[in-house]
Amino acid sequence: MIERFAWHDPNWHELIERKRSGRFPHALLFNGAGGTGKAQLALALSHALLCQNPAETGEACGQCKSCLLIEAGSHPDLLTLTLEEDAKDIKIAQVRELMSQLALTSQYDGYKIAIIWPAERMNINSANSLLKTLEEPADNTLLILVTAQPSRLLPTIRSRCQQINFTLPPHDMALQWLAEQRVEQAELLLALADGAPLLAAELGESEALEQRSTLFAAFKALNMGKNDPISVADIWGKSEPTTSLRWLMSWVMDMIRLRMGGSREMLANPDIEQDLQRLAEPLDLAEMFKRFDQIAESLRLSSATINQQLLLEETMMSWARNR
Ligand SMILES: [Zn+2]
């Protein structure tokens, strides 16, 4: 069976209820924080819709021909589209290919389903190509778009989808799941992942924590005047810039929280609370918000710019200049 996470129960029941009442749309938009398993729920839903003998509760039986094909990853009526390796966006050729397959008749006399994630990574041509299908959906087709950034989708796409909103899992439930996965330092990782359990597990498996320590040590040295912006940008350039800038943004956000009287529990980086407190001391709130905006802008540019090293240098110089 395709695993369904306990924290998705409310969304699951909502979807099954819609199915039962015959109010199922041609396109769904799963919207909510990344790293919480939305794409997984899209798969579980597809599984249930394609099952030839679903339970009263709407769950897939796990034994029929359709179920077996899905578990083998080879059901002809279930299509998935995501980024190709190392690609920055979902290409129009991919969308066209998907649409032409979706237009074929179902092989099992049921739904044809396409899941697209992360949907916001479709470029403008891809999105426009998809729009045509959304405007004239064929019978018994279902598109599920999965996104953590719905504002980056074309408004015309958003408006043609039924939105299903996902909230973050309750803290206890997320911790329990992480414990079941035997993730160490679960509390810290969950805080660093802003409460998203799958992201927390991923951070735990990668070298993210070590990288973060290296980046933070360099950033601290810059603030104490012990290192210069170019050397710090050099150290930072050894990690993936978008990830690094996300860390920086979360530190500054925590500095703002601390300045506003926030407690440790509210921080995304509770383990470096004292350091952040010290870094925040010389800055007033307006200055911190200004810097936060600058870093957000750098982050926005980081996925598009070719010269990421220069961007890091500029970010560090700007931070040091304002000190
Ligand atoms: Zn089945």
Side-chain angles (χ1 to χ4, degrees):
M1 291 288 278
I2 290 171
E3 188 189 1
R4 189 154 59 70
F5 301 109
W7 54 82
H8 284 152
D9 276 355
N11 301 101
W12 175 259
H13 294 309
E14 182 191 347
L15 288 160
I16 293 301
E17 198 39 54
R18 266 173 209 264
K19 171 78 178 63
R20 249 194 223 127
S21 63
R23 290 180 295 119
F24 219 65
H26 284 291
L28 291 166
L29 178 63
F30 282 14
N31 161 35
T36 53
K38 297 185 301 299
Q40 186 90 356
L41 192 72
L43 272 178
L45 175 67
S46 309
H47 196 167
L49 292 176
L50 292 171
C51 171
Q52 292 160 332
N53 188 25
E56 292 242 321
T57 55
E59 307 277 347
C61 75
Q63 285 155 20
C64 69
K65 180 98 194 274
S66 273
C67 282
L68 295 178
L69 281 170
I70 287 178
E71 269 165 45
S74 54
H75 197 300
D77 295 331
L78 176 59
L79 313 163
T80 54
L81 178 59
T82 189
L83 286 165
E84 284 168 349
E85 210 178 325
D86 293 331
K88 282 195 193 296
D89 50 14
I90 293 175
K91 309 269 184 320
I92 185 168
Q94 291 178 274
V95 174
R96 282 194 178 137
E97 167 70 17
L98 183 83
M99 293 307 128
S100 66
Q101 288 190 43
L102 198 63
L104 301 173
T105 319
S106 154
Q107 305 230 3
Y108 290 89
D109 200 26
Y111 269 103
K112 282 197 78 91
I113 304 176
I115 304 173
I116 304 181
W117 92 95
E120 76 277 4
R121 298 293 280 277
M122 282 185 288
N123 63 37
I124 185 74
N125 294 330
S126 309
N128 276 317
S129 171
L130 179 75
L131 197 54
K132 286 188 200 127
T133 302
L134 282 174
E135 280 164 349
E136 296 163 11
D139 279 347
N140 272 341
T141 59
L142 174 64
L143 271 167
I144 309 178
L145 308 188
V146 181
T147 184
Q149 293 172 293
S151 63
R152 287 179 60 189
L153 288 170
L154 289 180
T156 40
I157 287 194
R158 278 205 308 270
S159 67
R160 282 178 173 79
C161 299
Q162 188 90 58
Q163 248 187 73
I164 306 288
N165 294 314
F166 289 71
T167 54
L168 279 173
H171 191 69
D172 292 354
M173 215 181 252
L175 278 181
Q176 193 192 332
W177 182 80
L178 286 167
E180 284 161 16
Q181 315 302 310
R182 300 175 194 279
V183 173
E184 288 171 21
Q185 293 185 280
E187 282 270 8
L188 172 63
L189 289 167
L190 190 60
L192 292 174
D194 286 328
L198 273 66
L199 186 58
E202 206 178 291
L203 285 175
E205 274 173 23
S206 67
E207 287 163 5
L209 280 187
E210 285 158 45
Q211 263 178 21
R212 169 174 168 271
S213 297
T214 308
L215 297 176
F216 190 65
F219 179 64
K220 219 164 84 174
L222 177 70
N223 278 272
M224 292 158 72
K226 289 184 178 166
N227 208 345
D228 62 277
I230 304 292
S231 312
V232 171
D234 257 356
I235 298 170
W236 275 56
K238 294 189 173 72
S239 298
E240 204 276 310
T242 304
T243 313
S244 308
L245 287 168
R246 265 203 206 106
W247 285 128
L248 180 58
M249 221 164 107
S250 94
W251 301 335
V252 179
M253 193 65 229
D254 274 355
M255 286 159 69
I256 292 172
R257 287 185 181 117
L258 286 166
R259 174 51 59 87
M260 292 175 90
S263 60
R264 190 185 172 89
E265 294 76 55
M266 295 166 71
L267 301 184
N269 303 270
D271 59 323
I272 48 173
E273 178 188 5
Q274 286 182 354
D275 279 326
L276 291 172
Q277 188 94 53
R278 232 170 283 137
L279 294 181
E281 263 160 29
L283 306 169
D284 66 26
L285 206 49
E287 176 64 27
M288 279 193 268
F289 275 115
K290 198 177 103 193
R291 289 174 179 223
F292 184 81
D293 288 344
Q294 283 170 348
I295 297 162
E297 178 62 9
S298 295
L299 180 60
R300 197 184 62 77
L301 292 172
S302 70
S303 56
T305 186
I306 296 165
N307 198 337
Q308 292 180 317
Q309 194 57 36
L310 187 65
L311 182 71
L312 285 177
E313 286 175 9
E314 279 168 0
T315 308
M316 292 304 163
M317 279 195 288
S318 154
W319 182 278
R321 190 162 49 235
N322 288 332
R323 214 152 46 91

